[in-house]
Amino acid sequence: MFFISPVADSSLAYSNILAEWLSSAKQNKVYLPDDPFPHAFYLRNSKLKHYKHVFSEGFSKDFRQPCVVFCGHPSLRFGDAVHFIEMWGNNVNNSIIFTEPDFPYLQVLAPFQPLAMKAFYCPIDTSLNYQQANKLIKELKPNVLVIPEAYTKPHPNAPNLFIEQPDKKIITFKCGEIIRLPLKRKLDRVYISYDMAQKLVPRDVGNGITISTITGLLEVKDKVHNIQPCEPSEEKPSGSKMPPPSREEVLKNMKYEYGTLDVDMLKKRLIQDGITNIKVERTGNVVSLQLVNEDTTIKFDDNETHIICGGKQSLRLKLRDTVLKCLQSF
């Protein structure tokens, strides 16, 4: 047996030491000590060999047939699996077994047809089923449970497949819906780039506490906070003799927006940008602008603004700039 993967060595090693994830019988083998899995025995007796790639040193020398090869990628569009499909595909005595549930094997094999080798689809799905999920919820007893709304309703063809309502609070959501979670925290995590971290100079202020000042550009996207350096890249354009702008010049051109968003002004600016067919809806203090032709929604209230545009980064940035133009700045 041959295991071909860049992480083959570490995968086999980790499986022998992560005893807390094993059954009681296998945990006892770890503490004897003994090998919890048979592959360790096969490794010692050279029945199982692992390599990073098919062109790794020693593989062509050790490779023998008939054999079993574990390799990827399950899409058969790249990786070492492509090599073996091309090598073994014309022999009816060979077989390929698909274990990844996220790849339909008939579509995966389509570019290699006609194939004489046999194909078997045996997906190994590691996700929870409804029975396991209900059991886990009863054991953990969460104070708040957040799940898709579809999971709480029985399926018409399988009335037993649904998540049982726990005694505690439950929050459901639909696809694309923005919900508020009852998380009470006063601080948030901010990530600092590698370049900025190198330039920090902490000072001891006593009691084992060190502090450091920092100046950078704070970027908030998808609730992730990142601080990047204000300095532009030191690389100069080809043929340019102008020095890059200083940090002070960059900071001078930065603006800070504030104020209340005017719906009519925003709608007018969107029309000027060529975006038409805009529907405005008001629910309490929440205002929603649906851009029908763009399949995009802008939602905002007194404190937050959300642009939901299905991953269209260029459109999202364009709408962000339009929204910022409707605010005051300093």
Side-chain angles (χ1 to χ4, degrees), residues 212-229:
S212 175
T213 59
I214 183 172
T215 301
L217 181 64
L218 176 63
E219 180 188 65
V220 182
K221 181 180 179 182
D222 296 335
K223 297 296 183 181
V224 178
H225 301 68
N226 290 291
I227 297 182
Q228 304 291 342

Side-chain angles (χ1 to χ4, degrees), residues 201-213:
V201 183
R203 295 186 179 181
D204 188 1
V205 294
N207 298 325
I209 299 175
T210 57
I211 62 174
S212 175
T213 59

Side-chain angles (χ1 to χ4, degrees), residues 297-325:
T297 302
I298 304 176
K299 289 185 178 182
F300 61 91
D301 55 22
D302 296 336
N303 301 312
E304 293 181 331
T305 301
H306 297 278
I307 299 175
I308 307 170
C309 58
K312 298 178 182 178
Q313 180 70 355
S314 58
L315 177 61
R316 190 187 72 83
L317 295 176
K318 179 180 179 181
L319 295 176
R320 181 202 63 181
D321 295 337
T322 303
V323 170
L324 293 178
K325 291 178 182 177

Side-chain angles (χ1 to χ4, degrees), residues 136-199:
L136 185 64
I137 293 171
K138 289 180 180 179
E139 292 177 352
L140 296 179
K141 299 178 180 179
N143 292 327
V144 180
L145 179 65
V146 183
I147 57 173
E149 185 179 19
Y151 289 176
T152 62
K153 301 177 181 179
H155 193 274
N157 299 328
N160 295 327
L161 299 182
F162 68 98
I163 299 296
E164 299 175 2
Q165 301 285 342
D167 298 333
K168 302 292 184 177
K169 183 178 180 180
I170 181 171
I171 299 177
T172 61
F173 60 91
K174 299 178 181 178
C175 181
E177 182 181 3
I178 298 173
I179 61 175
R180 290 183 177 272
L181 299 179
L183 299 176
K184 297 181 180 180
R185 58 182 181 184
K186 297 180 180 180
L187 303 176
D188 212 332
R189 179 171 300 191
V190 180
Y191 297 93
I192 303 176
S193 68
Y194 175 79
D195 294 335
M196 294 199 67
Q198 282 189 316
K199 298 178 181 179

Side-chain angles (χ1 to χ4, degrees), residues 252-288:
K252 187 185 299 183
N253 295 326
M254 294 178 62
K255 295 182 180 180
Y256 299 91
E257 292 77 12
Y258 69 97
T260 303
L261 198 59
D262 189 329
V263 180
D264 296 331
M265 182 184 297
L266 176 58
K267 186 176 180 180
K268 183 179 179 180
R269 286 188 175 274
L270 290 173
I271 295 174
Q272 291 176 351
D273 291 340
I275 299 176
T276 57
N277 197 358
I278 304 173
K279 295 182 179 180
V280 181
E281 295 181 0
R282 298 177 184 269
T283 305
N285 63 335
V286 179
V287 180
S288 299

